[in-house]
Amino acid sequence: NSSDMWFAVTKPLSAWLCQSQAKTRWQATGAAGRLNDDPMIFKCNLQNFPDLPEWLRFTQRHPFDNGFLYGTPTSPGKSIIEIYAINKRSYETARHILVIKIVPEKILPYQAEFFIELREIEKVLPSSVQDEIQSDLQKLWGTKALEIVNITNALDRGGRVPLPLAGHFEGVYVKVGSEQYFSECLLRVLTPEHTKQCSAKDKGGKDKIWSGCLFCNIPSNCITWCKTELFDLSKEKPAPPAPTMGPGILEDVMEFNPPESPPSRDYFPDYIVTVIVPLILAIILCLILGYVMFGRREGMIQLHHHHTIHDNTDELRGMAANRGVPPPLSTLPMFNSRTGERAMPLQSDSPSIPLIMAQESLELTLFLYYYLIILLVQPTTDQI
């Protein structure tokens, strides 16, 4: 019913109260000296249901803080809320039943919603803070007949989670209503000048406060003008037009001809592109690789190194199986891996030249011969 009005419901759940109710039982355990300092958590749900009603919310920031049930009902009735308080130190549990009777009241025709940027929901729900905010808004509205209709956390309206730093808050929306028409300060929200200023604020400007419209005694209770909205419920909105009921029979049109089956498709070209062409490319690559490995000098060298590594591996494995065999040929000086011949240990003609330096000189000479042979053979190979 559009003539019904629902006001915000706020119920503080005090840890001190729950501890006082269980004081007699906890004193028997010797914990009376720490009653007011014990951390408490609350669990709330609708009786015989796992969750709260959709219009009711619960918040508790820390086990040492009080919890709050808050919300604005949407229909008359009675809600039975089960509240469980758990002592986090002793794990004692207390149960409390809260009965909320919802009765409709006359609607307040003029309502306004304000955004308080420097507040969080659990800091606004205490009755003392609500009285401070309501007092400031009464001065702004110019009337004492002002009621708080709804209190909403900005996070529930799509707001961003603030940084965990000092000076960053979630923000709270407070909606109030009255039977008196809006004041001059509030009507400025509807002016084009206000819209222009808010557009400039979105681009980095500041929220402008008109002269004579600043009534917040506490800076944290000041509102953000660019997020203020006015609701005039005295004007009834026209009801939407009723849907036009038709006969339920489709209009008489020409006979429906379903489309014919699609023409057959030849998949042989797709098979050639998908299977035959990759297969031919793979065969060509294999032939090129075989020619490089078995028909070119570079491939033969790679195969020789490969077989040499395998032969050395087998020889080392044989040594590991039988420790009594003579040392492998590859460990002897001047061992030729192709022929298996062993040269005599290199003797130095000059007593002033160490044997190691003489070996290095011989290896350098062999390297130069090998490089010269490559230069002579390479032109012939390129011509072929």
Side-chain angles (χ1 to χ4, degrees), residues 204-218:
K206 294 184 178 180
D207 192 14
K208 183 178 179 181
I209 302 176
W210 296 291
S211 60
C213 296
L214 180 61
F215 295 100
C216 55
N217 297 323
I218 302 176

Side-chain angles (χ1 to χ4, degrees), residues 317-339:
R317 288 177 179 175
M319 289 176 57
N322 186 7
R323 298 291 183 178
V325 298
L329 299 178
S330 59
T331 60
L332 297 178
M334 304 303 295
F335 168 70
N336 192 335
S337 60
R338 289 187 177 182
T339 61

Side-chain angles (χ1 to χ4, degrees), residues 100-112:
I100 302 177
K101 295 182 179 180
I102 305 170
V103 180
E105 296 186 10
K106 186 179 180 180
I107 190 172
L108 298 177
Y110 306 106
Q111 299 180 12

Side-chain angles (χ1 to χ4, degrees), residues 31 34 80 137 143 175-176 182 188 220-221 277 279 299 328 354 368:
R34 296 188 299 273
I80 302 177
L137 296 180
T143 179
K175 192 174 186 179
V176 297
F182 305 113
R188 292 185 182 181
S220 58
N221 291 340
V277 172
L279 182 60
L368 292 176

Side-chain angles (χ1 to χ4, degrees), residues 2-269:
S2 60
S3 63
D4 294 341
M5 181 66 190
W6 315 103
F7 294 100
V9 176
T10 304
K11 177 65 176 178
L13 306 181
S14 174
W16 182 86
L17 177 61
C18 292
Q19 290 179 352
S20 298
Q21 292 177 350
K23 182 177 180 180
T24 304
R25 179 175 55 191
W26 290 346
Q27 278 181 342
T29 64
R34 296 188 299 273
L35 284 179
N36 296 336
D37 297 331
D38 292 346
M40 304 282 293
I41 59 173
F42 299 92
K43 303 293 183 181
C44 307
N45 63 277
L46 185 65
Q47 191 176 38
N48 300 326
F49 290 89
D51 299 321
L52 290 170
E54 60 180 5
W55 60 270
L56 192 60
R57 297 181 180 276
F58 172 75
T59 180
Q60 184 184 18
R61 185 74 62 173
H62 192 272
F64 287 96
D65 298 335
N66 293 334
F68 290 91
L69 281 169
Y70 68 99
T72 302
T74 56
S75 60
K78 182 175 68 172
S79 298
I80 302 177
I81 308 300
E82 294 180 336
I83 304 172
Y84 295 91
I86 304 173
N87 188 317
K88 294 293 290 182
R89 185 194 60 82
S90 61
Y91 293 97
E92 293 281 350
T93 304
R95 180 175 178 269
H96 179 69
I97 297 294
L98 175 64
V99 180
I100 302 177
K101 295 182 179 180
I102 305 170
V103 180
E105 296 186 10
K106 186 179 180 180
I107 190 172
L108 298 177
Y110 306 106
Q111 299 180 12
E113 187 177 60
F114 305 95
F115 178 68
I116 303 177
E117 186 176 5
L118 303 180
R119 283 289 192 180
E120 294 180 344
I121 186 66
E122 67 274 4
K123 303 298 182 182
V124 174
L125 292 176
S127 58
S128 59
V129 180
Q130 292 188 40
D131 293 339
E132 295 173 357
I133 297 174
Q134 187 174 1
S135 176
D136 294 339
L137 296 180
Q138 287 173 352
K139 297 176 184 179
L140 178 63
W141 203 301
T143 179
K144 294 289 185 179
L146 197 68
E147 298 290 342
I148 295 180
V149 177
N150 188 23
I151 300 177
T152 307
N153 189 352
L155 299 182
D156 298 333
R157 302 278 290 271
R160 299 180 61 181
V161 179
L163 296 175
L165 301 175
H168 294 75
F169 303 91
E170 297 173 354
V172 178
Y173 287 93
V174 178
K175 192 174 186 179
V176 297
S178 176
E179 295 184 355
Q180 181 175 329
Y181 192 66
F182 305 113
S183 63
E184 182 180 354
C185 289
L186 292 176
L187 289 176
R188 292 185 182 181
V189 176
L190 304 177
T191 60
E193 181 183 0
H194 174 77
T195 305
K196 183 178 180 180
Q197 291 175 356
C198 291
S199 300
K201 179 179 180 295
D202 294 338
K203 298 179 181 179
K206 294 184 178 180
D207 192 14
K208 183 178 179 181
I209 302 176
W210 296 291
S211 60
C213 296
L214 180 61
F215 295 100
C216 55
N217 297 323
I218 302 176
S220 58
N221 291 340
C222 294
I223 64 175
T224 301
W225 282 99
C226 287
K227 293 187 177 181
T228 300
E229 295 186 26
L230 304 182
F231 304 92
D232 188 357
L233 304 181
S234 60
K235 302 176 182 179
E236 295 185 0
K237 296 181 180 180
T244 304
M245 302 299 295
I249 302 174
L250 296 177
E251 297 181 1
D252 188 12
V253 294
M254 64 180 64
E255 184 180 358
F256 175 72
N257 295 321
E260 298 179 357
S261 58
S264 58
R265 179 180 177 183
D266 186 10
Y267 290 97
F268 184 73

